[in-house]
Amino acid sequence: MPIHNTNVNTDINTDMTTPSADYAPSEHPIPPHPDPAHALPAPQRLPASVRIAVIVIAVIILAGIIYRVIGGLTDERHLANQTRLDAIPTVDVISPIVSGNTSEIALPGNTQAFDDTPIYARTSGYLKQWFVDIGQHVSKGELMATIETPELDEQLQVAQADLKSAQADLNLAITTSNRFTNLLKLDSVSQQETDVAVSGAAAKRAAVEAAEANVRRLSQLQSFEKIYAPYSGIVTQRNTDIGDLINAGSATTTNTAKELFHIASVNQLRVFVAVPEVYAPDIHNGDTATLTLDEYPDQVFTGIVTRNSGSIDPSSRTLNVEVDVNNHNGKLLPGAYVFVHFKIPVQSREPSIPSDALIFRAQGLQVGVVRDGHVHLQTITIGKDNGKTVEVATGLSPTDKVILSPSDSLAEGQPVNIATQPAVMQ
C-alpha cells in the first residue's frame, strides 16, 4: 500500500477549500480533484479596473459598428436619392415670342449675270488670232479675234465682177432703149421693138440691183472676220485657239459649230428666287430685298425686286421672282449661291418658336411643354415657316415653356428639370 503524506494532503485541501477574502463561493462549488498532485490551480478573477476597461472597449467597438451600419444605410439612401435625381433629365426651355408688325423669310437663290452671251462665228474659216482670254474685262466694240476666210474673199471678188458686168449690160440696155424711143418718134421702128428695148433695160437694172445685193451680203459676211465684244463685260470662257477650223452658225444637232467665247455683264446681277405660294401676295415689284453669302458672313448686299413671273409654277407651287443687285465692286460672282431675305408683313400676331423645338411623330406635329415639372406633349398647328423659326397658329400661348431640342425618348408625363438659365430666342 502506498504511503500518503497526510500533512500535504491536508494543506492542499485547505488551500482548495478555504476561500480567499476576494473570492465568493458560487452556488455550485467545484469539487476537489481526485488526484490533488495533478490538480490545476484555482482560476483567478480579473481585477475590477481591467474588467471596466474591457467593457468600455467593447462598448466603443459596438458603437463604432452601429455607427458604420447606420452611416452605410444613410449613404445608400442618399445615393439612391441622388441617382433618382440624376435620372431626371435637365432641359432647356424657351417661351414663345409674339412676332411684330413684320417678319423676315430667307430663301435660296442663284446669281446670274445681267447679260450672258455665247459668241459664235458668223462666217467659216480659220482662226487667225485671238486677243482676249478668260477672266479679262472687255469694252463694247473691242476686237476679240480675227478669222481668215479665203473662200469668202474669192466669192466677194466674183460678186463684184458680176456687178460690173451687170452694170455694163444695164448701160447698153439704157442706150438701146433711148435710141428706140427716139426712132419711134420718126416712125423708123415699130412700137413692139421699142417696148422690147425698154423692157430689156428694166431687166438689166434689176440684175444690177441683185448683183449689188450679193456684193453687200458677202461684204457683210467678210466683216464678220473680225469678232467684236457686243457689250462691256468679262470673258468667262475661251474655247478656240489659233488655226482652229471655224464653222459658221451656232451649235445644233445638225451643225458642228462651236462656241468661241462666252462673255457676261457682271456690273449688275440678276437673282432668281422661287417664293412659296403662301408668300406670293406679299412680294411686290420695287420692294427691297437683302442678300447674304457664306463667303461674306458679315456683309449684306441690297437688291430691288424688279419683276416676277405673275403666275404660280404648278410643279413647285412657287412664284419666280427676279431681284437685281448692283455689283460695281465685283464682289458677287455669277452662279453664286445666296440667301435672299424678304420683309413680309404679319397679318396676325402669332407666337414663334425655333424650328428645332418641333417633334415629328405619328400623332402629328408636337412640342414638349414643361408643366409642374413634367412633360406635356402639345399638338400644334404651323401658321408660317420662316426657316429657323416657325409661327404657331394653334396650340401654344406666350407663357408656355417649350423644350428646345427634345430627345426622341421624350414621353408624356416624364419628370424633367429646367436649366437654371433659360434659353433666349434669337
Side-chain angles (χ1 to χ4, degrees):
M1 295 293 290
I3 300 173
H4 296 284
N5 192 341
T6 309
N7 295 332
V8 175
N9 186 25
T10 304
D11 293 340
I12 294 175
N13 186 38
T14 301
D15 293 338
M16 293 293 293
T17 57
T18 303
S20 63
D22 296 331
Y23 177 76
S26 61
E27 184 178 354
H28 302 284
I30 300 175
H33 196 276
D35 189 359
H38 297 85
L40 296 175
Q44 299 294 323
R45 299 284 292 180
L46 293 175
S49 60
V50 176
R51 293 199 302 271
I52 293 173
V54 171
I55 293 173
V56 171
I57 293 173
V59 171
I60 293 175
I61 294 176
L62 180 61
I65 295 173
I66 294 175
Y67 176 78
R68 290 296 301 273
V69 171
I70 295 176
L73 294 176
T74 303
D75 291 341
E76 289 181 1
R77 288 195 298 268
H78 178 73
L79 180 61
N81 291 334
Q82 189 63 38
T83 303
R84 181 176 55 82
L85 293 176
D86 292 341
I88 299 177
T90 300
V91 295
D92 294 322
V93 298
I94 192 172
S95 295
I97 63 171
V98 179
S99 57
N101 294 328
T102 59
S103 63
E104 183 179 277
I105 59 171
L107 301 172
N110 293 315
T111 59
Q112 296 183 16
F114 198 83
D115 294 303
D116 193 13
T117 307
I119 306 297
Y120 290 90
R122 187 62 184 88
T123 184
S124 299
Y126 295 93
L127 189 73
K128 181 179 181 180
Q129 192 174 4
W130 53 264
F131 303 98
V132 295
D133 207 346
I134 179 173
Q136 183 174 341
H137 290 268
V138 295
S139 302
K140 182 179 180 179
E142 183 176 343
L143 181 62
M144 302 178 68
T146 57
I147 301 174
E148 289 182 331
T149 57
E151 295 179 355
L152 178 61
D153 296 341
E154 293 297 329
Q155 291 176 7
L156 178 58
Q157 291 179 8
V158 171
Q160 290 173 342
D162 291 341
L163 175 59
K164 292 179 180 180
S165 176
Q167 288 176 339
D169 292 341
L170 175 61
N171 293 334
L172 177 60
I174 291 175
T175 300
T176 303
S177 174
N178 293 335
R179 184 177 296 127
F180 270 77
T181 300
N182 293 328
L183 292 175
L184 179 62
K185 295 177 181 178
L186 300 174
D187 292 332
S188 298
V189 294
S190 65
Q191 182 66 44
Q192 180 65 29
E193 293 174 330
T194 303
D195 292 340
V196 170
V198 172
S199 298
K204 298 300 181 181
R205 184 175 290 105
V208 169
E209 292 177 353
E212 290 176 344
N214 190 34
V215 169
R216 288 195 301 270
R217 179 182 67 84
L218 294 174
S219 297
Q220 188 67 32
L221 288 176
Q222 192 181 48
S223 69
F224 290 134
E225 292 178 349
K226 300 181 183 298
I227 300 175
Y228 299 96
Y231 50 78
S232 298
I234 184 173
V235 178
T236 59
Q237 292 183 36
R238 179 180 66 81
N239 301 315
T240 188
D241 212 339
I242 296 174
D244 279 354
L245 176 63
I246 306 300
N247 292 313
S250 59
T252 62
T253 56
T254 59
N255 195 345
T256 59
K258 69 176 182 179
E259 177 183 333
L260 304 183
F261 300 94
H262 204 103
I263 185 172
S265 176
V266 296
N267 288 335
Q268 190 175 17
L269 298 182
R270 306 175 191 261
V271 182
F272 291 97
V273 186
V275 178
E277 182 179 358
V278 66
Y279 300 115
D282 299 321
I283 305 298
H284 306 92
N285 293 342
D287 290 347
T288 300
T290 57
L291 279 70
T292 57
L293 292 83
D294 292 339
E295 54 265 41
Y296 300 112
D298 300 327
Q299 191 168 356
V300 176
F301 300 87
T302 303
I304 302 296
V305 178
T306 305
R307 58 187 63 85
N308 64 77
S309 60
S311 63
I312 301 297
D313 185 354
S315 61
S316 61
R317 299 300 177 187
T318 58
L319 176 71
N320 190 23
V321 176
E322 178 187 334
V323 177
D324 291 348
V325 183
N326 192 328
N327 189 40
H328 286 297
N329 55 14
K331 282 191 173 183
L332 297 177
L333 300 178
Y337 182 80
V338 300
F339 280 98
V340 184
H341 303 261
F342 297 97
K343 296 293 184 180
I344 304 297
V346 178
Q347 303 298 331
S348 60
R349 298 173 63 85
E350 296 178 343
S352 298
I353 59 173
S355 299
D356 59 2
L358 300 177
I359 301 174
F360 300 90
R361 293 184 179 175
Q363 295 80 3
L365 192 60
Q366 296 177 322
V367 294
V369 179
V370 179
R371 293 175 181 173
D372 298 329
H374 292 78
V375 175
H376 171 63
L377 297 180
Q378 179 66 42
T379 301
I380 63 171
T381 302
I382 296 299
K384 286 186 178 181
D385 187 348
N386 300 322
K388 292 183 178 180
T389 62
V390 293
E391 298 177 12
V392 181
T394 59
L396 284 183
S397 65
T399 58
D400 287 332
K401 297 178 180 179
V402 180
I403 298 175
L404 291 175
S405 302
S407 64
D408 294 337
S409 60
L410 195 68
E412 177 71 27
Q414 177 182 352
V416 293
N417 295 323
I418 297 177
T420 304
Q421 294 295 333
V424 178
M425 184 170 175
Q426 300 294 332

